Amino acid sequence: MTTQEVIDSTPRVSPPVLVAVTRSTVGELLSPHGATELPRLAERLDAVADALILGVDLVHEPDASADPDTVGVDPTIAAVTLAHHTNRVGLVIAAVAQRDHPYNLARRLASIDHASGGRAGLLIGVEDHRAVAGSPWTRAHPAAAAADAVTAIRALWRSFPVEAIVGDRASGVYAESHRIVAIDHRGAFEVAGPLQVPSTPQVWPPVLAWSVGAGDPVLAQVADIVIGAEHTPAVLHRVGSLIELRRLLSTAAELAPSPDTPAPLRTRFGLAPVDPPTWGRQVFADPAHRIAEEKEVESRAG
């Protein structure tokens, strides 16, 4: 059955509406059979939901009745496909640092945010109940590792500022590479950087965290939004099959009409835009300094 939960979010004019689907549901939707109705369902998603959470089973322990062998689709792949078929709904990728390294998550989310025009988000979980126990990346406590992953990801999202791309044909300068930095993050994870993808329309796509009891405080401190049954005021619909998704989309009330240019997902969640500074170790030398040094050497020689 479809369940309803509420989430904690910064207040806005109308509460955000989220729809969370499992990887198996996405697999049904993107299968040859389900793909025939994908355009219609995508249109309904744009009309009734602020964001679609992809792969919620990665961060939330599945029901006992769930079939662990059900074929599913990776949330990142699904987001790339759905970015093409939707125009408004946010695309939130569920992930767990136990399975995915922060660098890979930062790169995937940045790519999706570019592809969707600022509609990407990350739902970070503490533990993947279907993965082998432990983490290949860190020995830190899972909740501490998840929080540290968010910190590293955000630093990576600003390690390659989009302003560094000049694209000046006259001078032949493609990028001011000296503005790209290595973050040299040291925590539960060790990440040098920089990211290979320039900063995105949202700069920092919103980060959601799944409420998990004892792990809440450490993860809630870094997350933009915490999902959990005891929080308010936005609504989350969690569905476990394509049939449930059809039923929900056919009966859900439509949101207020959106402008011609959809708002970034941060705005949809009532979060303020961000413009954090780029910080880190300079990777490439500033050519202006090199030219100045060369001129000084020439003047001394003359």
Side-chain angles (χ1 to χ4, degrees), residues 198-210:
S199 55
T200 71
Q202 296 185 99
V203 184
W204 280 0
V207 176
L208 290 68
W210 194 271

Side-chain angles (χ1 to χ4, degrees), residues 28-256:
E28 290 182 86
L29 179 61
L30 301 183
S31 69
H33 172 70
T36 58
E37 57 182 324
L38 177 56
R40 179 177 60 84
L41 294 182
E43 183 178 0
R44 287 297 297 164
L45 278 169
D46 278 335
V48 306
D50 288 292
L52 175 67
I53 298 176
L54 299 160
V56 68
D57 55 308
L58 278 170
V59 301
H60 184 266
E61 189 169 9
D63 297 332
S65 59
D67 183 0
D69 297 322
T70 302
V71 176
V73 173
D74 180 87
T76 305
I77 296 174
V80 172
T81 301
L82 291 170
H84 174 71
H85 288 279
T86 58
N87 298 306
R88 171 177 172 171
V89 68
L91 302 169
V92 178
I93 311 306
V96 180
Q98 176 187 0
R99 177 190 292 259
D100 293 301
H101 192 276
Y103 189 93
N104 289 332
L105 289 177
R107 181 173 55 185
R108 294 177 197 171
L109 265 293
S111 298
I112 294 170
D113 205 45
H114 279 297
S116 64
R119 293 188 284 134
L122 172 65
L123 171 60
I124 190 80
V126 170
E127 185 176 3
D128 183 350
H129 296 277
R130 290 176 173 168
V132 177
S135 168
W137 316 115
T138 177
R139 294 183 180 179
H141 185 277
D148 188 67
V150 173
T151 300
I153 287 169
R154 285 181 173 143
L156 285 168
W157 280 339
R158 282 299 289 169
S159 65
F160 184 171
V162 71
E163 298 85 3
I165 300 177
V166 178
D168 188 343
R169 293 185 177 182
S171 65
V173 176
Y174 170 71
E176 296 176 340
S177 55
H178 61 282
R179 301 177 65 178
I180 302 172
V181 302
I183 65 170
D184 292 330
H185 176 82
R186 298 292 181 268
F189 297 93
E190 294 189 0
V191 186
L195 197 63
Q196 298 169 324
V197 183
S199 55
T200 71
Q202 296 185 99
V203 184
W204 280 0
V207 176
L208 290 68
W210 194 271
S211 178
V212 286
D216 286 357
V218 65
L219 196 52
Q221 289 178 1
V222 297
D224 294 306
I225 299 170
V226 178
I227 297 178
E230 72 277 18
H231 300 292
T232 56
V235 178
L236 167 69
H237 298 276
R238 194 169 74 246
V239 299
S241 69
L242 182 57
I243 292 176
E244 291 182 10
L245 181 61
R246 290 193 197 105
R247 184 183 306 125
L248 173 65
L249 296 183
S250 65
T251 58
E254 293 193 2
L255 303 175

